[in-house]
Amino acid sequence: MPVLTQQQRDAFWRDGYLMVEDAVTPAQLAALRSEIAAWVELSRAHTAPFGPPTIDGRPRYDMGAEHTAEKPALRRINNPSDISDAYREVMLDARTVDMVAELIGPNVKFHHCKINLKLPGAKTEVAYHQDFAYTPHTNDDIVTALLFLDDVDADNGALTVVPGSHKGPMLSLFDGERFTGAVAPDEEKRALAQSVPCFGKAGSVCLMHTRLLHGSAANRAATSRGLYICVYTAADAVPIARNPMPSPNEGRIVRGKAVRFARLKEALVELPNQPKSASFFTVLGQDSKQAAE
Ligand SMILES: O=C(O)CCC(=O)C(=O)O
């Protein structure tokens, strides 16, 4: 039995994104949320990004500069599926994976995952960009699955997307020679004028095409906004840039089977610069908390 209707699949390809409620079971959602609560507690004892490191030696957890023990601003956990059974289970086998397989399958592999967290009072925001510019592949059958760990409304920093923009051009994330990780200010202004917010209950997922233009504002509410973001590609999409967040699970087949041929889609792709810091928020000009020396 398919999990998505034909109408939902058509909407994804027309708009470049699709919202689906109840994308994981209540038990899965509860397990993910309980891990987050523990990681937020853990972050109170830290004054700079901390481990256990990802496989390229960078810290797994990143906090915004406003972070304090009393008011944590943990904003990123890199590849939580490497360190948590609950996150691994959802990455490998939640209903979201079936949905992705119905969009770009049958053969689907995992690329990387992360949590973007906006705790109350945190300043974290996401400048407009297209994910494909960070993770270019030989073709663009790539879906970013953004699972809502909290209820998301108009005040707590919702994801905003530009419907149909996945059919448009790839926009540069460079300002001259400098990789800014964000589209130019005039493009951002245009995007803001056309964008729509993605609201939903915890447990909803936004399935987003890798070329869709999107961003998000800071959290102005007293409630947190967490997203568990998993990136999946068609098995015949082969990376043409280093994974910004490498994981031992990169390339793992999550539905169907491995394939022998890479599929090439003709395109001119600007190659990204990879972050050396704990998360791309520093590339966007939002410093991490750093211990005072
Ligand atoms: O956290 C968000 O609101 C957006 C996430 C995002 O754009 C990304 O991680 O590429």
Side-chain angles (χ1 to χ4, degrees), residues 30-250:
L32 300 180
R33 287 170 56 98
S34 126
E35 291 276 46
I36 293 267
W39 288 329
V40 171
E41 285 312 304
L42 186 65
S43 75
R44 291 181 192 273
H46 292 270
T47 52
F50 59 104
T54 54
I55 60 170
D56 59 356
R58 284 184 290 148
R60 179 133 349 231
Y61 305 93
D62 184 36
M63 298 89 79
E66 65 277 25
H67 174 84
T68 61
E70 298 70 40
K71 215 164 174 8
L74 181 65
R75 62 182 178 180
R76 163 59 66 81
I77 297 133
N78 293 312
N79 281 313
S81 64
D82 292 357
I83 54 164
S84 153
D85 290 342
Y87 281 87
R88 189 163 42 253
E89 177 189 318
V90 167
M91 177 277 271
L92 289 174
D93 210 18
R95 283 182 68 224
T96 44
V97 190
D98 297 318
M99 295 174 197
V100 171
E102 288 176 18
L103 295 172
I104 56 167
N107 304 316
V108 178
K109 62 187 180 184
F110 169 74
H111 188 258
H112 75 272
C113 66
K114 59 216 167 195
I115 296 166
N116 279 1
L117 192 57
K118 295 178 183 172
L119 293 171
K123 297 196 164 44
T124 304
E125 52 191 34
V126 179
Y128 274 81
H129 65 280
Q130 292 157 299
D131 287 352
F132 196 60
Y134 280 94
T135 54
H137 281 63
T138 55
N139 68 66
D140 58 10
D141 277 346
I142 304 176
V143 172
T144 305
L146 304 108
L147 179 70
F148 293 13
L149 299 171
D150 300 290
D151 295 345
V152 178
D153 58 28
D155 293 324
N156 66 352
L159 174 74
T160 52
V161 302
V162 181
S165 54
H166 63 305
K167 295 180 181 158
M170 283 302 301
L171 302 174
S172 178
L173 303 187
F174 282 79
D175 176 12
E177 293 306 305
R178 192 171 65 90
F179 184 69
T180 62
V183 299
D186 58 327
E187 293 290 359
E188 173 142 281
K189 208 166 152 197
R190 252 195 297 278
L192 278 166
Q194 297 168 12
S195 68
V196 298
C198 298
F199 301 145
K201 288 187 310 188
S204 305
V205 72
C206 175
L207 301 166
M208 193 172 75
H209 190 277
T210 187
R211 294 174 67 117
L212 195 77
L213 194 51
H214 63 284
S216 68
N219 183 355
R220 292 181 282 113
T223 54
S224 357
R225 194 235 58 176
L227 295 181
Y228 178 32
I229 304 172
C230 288
V231 178
Y232 301 99
T233 79
D236 61 7
V238 175
I240 54 175
R242 194 165 56 78
N243 190 334
M245 219 171 295
S247 155
N249 288 310
E250 179 181 347

